[in-house]
Amino acid sequence: MYAFTCLVERAWRFGLPLVLVDIPGGFQTVALVGFIAPLAVTLLGPATGQLLDHSPRQLALNTCAVVQGGCIIVSGLVMWRAVQLGQTFHLQRSPMFLVLLLFTMLERLTSFASDVAIERDWLTRLVGKPLTNQIAQDASQLKQPHCIVQGLVGNENALAEANASLRRMDQVAELLGTLAFGWCITHHGSLVVLPVIALTALLALPFEVWCIQRVVNCAADALTTDRAEAIARQASQSNGNAVPQGSNLLNDMLRALGKSAQKTMASWQLYFQQPVLPASLAFIMLHFNAVLSPGCLMTAFLSSRGLSGTAAAVFRAACAVMGFVGTWVGQALIGSIGLLRTGVCALMLQAGSLALAAVIYRSHLAQAHIHQAGATAASALGRAVAGVPVYTWLFCGMIVLSRVAFWVYDMVDCQIFQSAVDPAVVSSVSSAEVSLCSLSELIMLGIAAIASDPSSFGLLVGLSSGTVIAAAVVYTAWVHAQSGPALESMQQPRTPARELA
């Protein structure tokens, strides 16, 4: 189920900027869509996490799957109509653009909710052995993160393997989805590919719902017992705060907004109380890298250099392959040198490779991008290999290499959270982290939307590489600030929760 969902989602995420860049408005349209999409997660993410913590797991995940699939279908049809109207059609001046923005935001929000539910909640319940709330509270009061990490998960190796498997499915989906979409759009055009991906999303919905039901049938007790208790507590609180019979629509709306704001604030408070906060902040800083990654801005950049949809898909697929490699590397390193030291190695590698990419761009690609465009820019960069200038190969190669390190640290951050956060509030805390990740992307894409001229691309490259270097500094300083015994206890195999109890 997870792999099939990722396949449709990754193909759509890759294809959307590739189609938008050929519509009048080009780079600015891509930046605006990319800017609006994380806005929903930033504003509504924490409240969504609170809702996940107090909703039946199966119902919540089914709802996310259906809504996300519907958003891809509607967005695909909107884009198909925009392409059908031709180059004279200005998408940004049409009501269709507002529809596209709305459903893109909703798709990103439901994708975020399903990822948090599967990765931080379902996986931990099915694989790990959560600590009791009382022990978690005692460890939190001691302000010793190693105590929490040591106690929460009884089978660390199984959890690391499960995390790696999820990311491998993610990367395989990225590889297959982008290659298939890139090849199809190159050989058949957008008018054929967009209806196909909409139809695929429609046909995937029954399969996803069926798979969720199968998982619930296999582990009903692990997935329903604690959540039923949380829902009962929520219902008792709601009954205690009954709505007066004389309330009107305006009062109901204001009351709903107030409750949403309370849930958001509660999620933020829980997040900032976590003793492993610096590790999470470093992960958030990595998401300021909105350019030197296989995202919409890089796709638009490669397209502006005259590269075909197939070439852009090959770059993105190479990033997916290296991310796949990163899951094996991360699993091996966590088992050999420990969780925290693996994070240090990953961030150092990513910071170094992206710093080299920024140097290559500044030295050899920036001037051609300022003065040339498309195929002319490609010819201005000198010797080419397979039709692509050598320095463009090197620039992309450093980005591809950095994806190994990114996915290794993604595993580290995820396992720290799975191990250190109370299972009763894991969705709330995780949603706050993801909303801050979306906020960082939002800031960078906002800068890209303002500085939409191609000559400003170098500024975005510098900001992206700089924030990754800063993330490496923050995390490394936090690791070295741990006392010797504390650090060693985080590196050693964890004591099962029942033994600590």
Side-chain angles (χ1 to χ4, degrees):
M1 183 273 294
Y2 181 77
F4 200 77
T5 303
C6 286
L7 181 65
V8 177
E9 178 187 322
R10 298 303 185 269
W12 174 247
R13 294 273 179 89
F14 169 73
L16 181 60
L18 200 63
V19 175
L20 283 174
V21 78
D22 291 329
I23 295 176
F27 190 85
Q28 187 177 33
T29 305
V30 173
L32 283 172
V33 172
F35 173 81
I36 291 297
L39 184 62
V41 178
T42 302
L43 297 178
L44 301 176
T48 303
Q50 285 275 336
L51 184 61
L52 287 174
D53 279 331
H54 297 90
S55 300
R57 286 186 173 92
Q58 183 179 4
L59 175 62
L61 198 56
N62 279 336
T63 302
C64 290
V66 172
V67 174
Q68 184 181 8
C71 290
I72 293 176
I73 294 170
V74 174
S75 299
L77 295 177
V78 168
M79 290 303 304
W80 175 80
R81 180 57 178 166
V83 173
Q84 188 182 47
L85 292 175
Q87 291 295 319
T88 59
F89 175 70
H90 293 275
L91 180 61
Q92 294 185 32
R93 302 174 185 175
S94 169
M96 293 170 57
F97 187 59
L98 297 178
V99 174
L100 178 65
L101 291 180
L102 175 62
F103 280 92
T104 301
M105 291 176 65
L106 191 56
E107 187 273 331
R108 181 65 65 89
L109 183 63
T110 51
S111 173
F112 141 80
S114 61
D115 287 345
V116 167
I118 293 173
E119 183 177 290
R120 303 290 177 92
D121 186 19
W122 285 57
L123 189 67
T124 306
R125 297 295 304 175
L126 295 172
V127 178
K129 297 177 181 178
L131 193 65
T132 62
N133 292 344
Q134 183 59 48
I135 297 175
Q137 292 172 1
D138 294 342
S140 179
Q141 291 173 358
L142 293 174
K143 301 297 182 183
Q144 295 179 356
H146 64 283
C147 293
I148 303 177
V149 175
Q150 186 179 13
L152 269 172
V153 177
N155 193 346
E156 181 188 84
N157 292 333
L159 187 59
E161 184 178 354
N163 285 326
S165 297
L166 274 186
R167 282 152 182 79
R168 286 167 197 151
M169 286 187 282
D170 195 335
Q171 297 308 306
V172 169
E174 179 87 11
L175 175 65
L176 297 179
T178 54
L179 284 177
F181 197 100
W183 184 87
C184 289
I185 201 170
T186 300
H187 292 83
H188 301 287
S190 303
L191 289 175
V192 174
V193 177
L194 289 172
V196 169
I197 197 170
L199 180 61
T200 304
L202 178 63
L203 296 177
L205 292 180
F207 176 72
E208 294 172 14
V209 173
W210 177 80
C211 288
I212 293 171
Q213 181 62 50
R214 292 286 297 172
V215 173
V216 172
N217 290 341
C218 293
D221 291 340
L223 294 173
T224 58
T225 303
D226 66 316
R227 188 53 53 85
E229 296 173 356
I231 294 171
R233 289 194 301 269
Q234 181 74 7
S236 64
Q237 294 175 1
S238 299
N239 293 333
N241 300 319
V243 179
Q245 294 182 352
S247 61
N248 54 37
L249 179 60
L250 179 59
N251 289 336
D252 291 343
M253 293 176 61
L254 292 176
R255 188 176 293 106
L257 289 174
K259 289 182 179 180
S260 178
Q262 289 177 355
K263 291 179 180 180
T264 299
M265 292 303 299
S267 292
W268 289 123
Q269 291 174 357
L270 288 170
Y271 173 75
F272 285 109
Q273 290 171 359
Q274 300 304 312
V276 291
L277 180 63
S280 178
L281 293 178
F283 183 66
I284 291 166
M285 294 175 72
L286 296 183
H287 286 76
F288 278 96
N289 176 25
V291 174
L292 300 178
S293 62
C296 58
L297 293 178
M298 181 55 64
T299 301
F301 167 75
L302 295 177
S303 180
S304 70
R305 287 307 184 89
L307 273 68
S308 66
T310 301
V314 168
F315 163 74
R316 193 153 180 166
C319 291
V321 169
M322 297 308 287
F324 188 85
V325 172
T327 62
W328 294 101
V329 173
Q331 186 177 355
L333 287 177
I334 291 172
S336 59
I337 66 175
L339 193 62
L340 295 186
R341 293 191 182 102
T342 298
V344 173
C345 295
L347 289 175
M348 290 298 180
L349 175 60
Q350 187 175 7
S353 58
L354 293 185
L356 286 176
V359 170
I360 292 171
Y361 179 86
R362 182 68 179 173
S363 302
H364 302 285
L365 301 179
Q367 295 302 316
H369 195 66
I370 291 173
H371 298 297
Q372 307 287 342
T376 308
S379 63
L381 291 173
R383 190 164 63 89
V385 176
V388 179
V390 172
Y391 288 116
T392 303
W393 276 116
L394 293 175
F395 177 68
C396 293
M398 291 296 100
I399 297 174
V400 170
L401 178 62
S402 73
R403 302 310 291 175
V404 176
F406 175 83
W407 283 99
V408 170
Y409 189 74
D410 180 75
M411 287 183 61
V412 170
D413 176 72
C414 180
Q415 191 157 336
I416 288 175
F417 253 65
Q418 289 170 330
S419 303
V421 179
D422 185 354
V425 296
V426 65
S427 295
S428 301
V429 175
S430 298
S431 64
E433 182 193 47
V434 176
S435 67
L436 286 176
C437 292
S438 296
L439 178 61
S440 62
E441 294 179 4
L442 197 64
I443 293 172
M444 287 298 294
L445 291 170
I447 295 173
I450 296 172
S452 58
D453 188 87
S455 62
S456 301
F457 194 76
L459 172 64
L460 302 178
V461 170
L463 290 174
S464 294
S465 61
T467 53
V468 173
I469 294 172
V473 172
V474 168
Y475 180 81
T476 304
W478 175 67
V479 171
H480 284 289
Q482 308 298 312
S483 62
L487 180 60
E488 290 302 321
S489 74
M490 290 188 78
Q491 303 296 335
Q492 298 299 326
R494 314 301 188 239
T495 304
R498 59 180 179 273
E499 295 181 15
L500 290 177

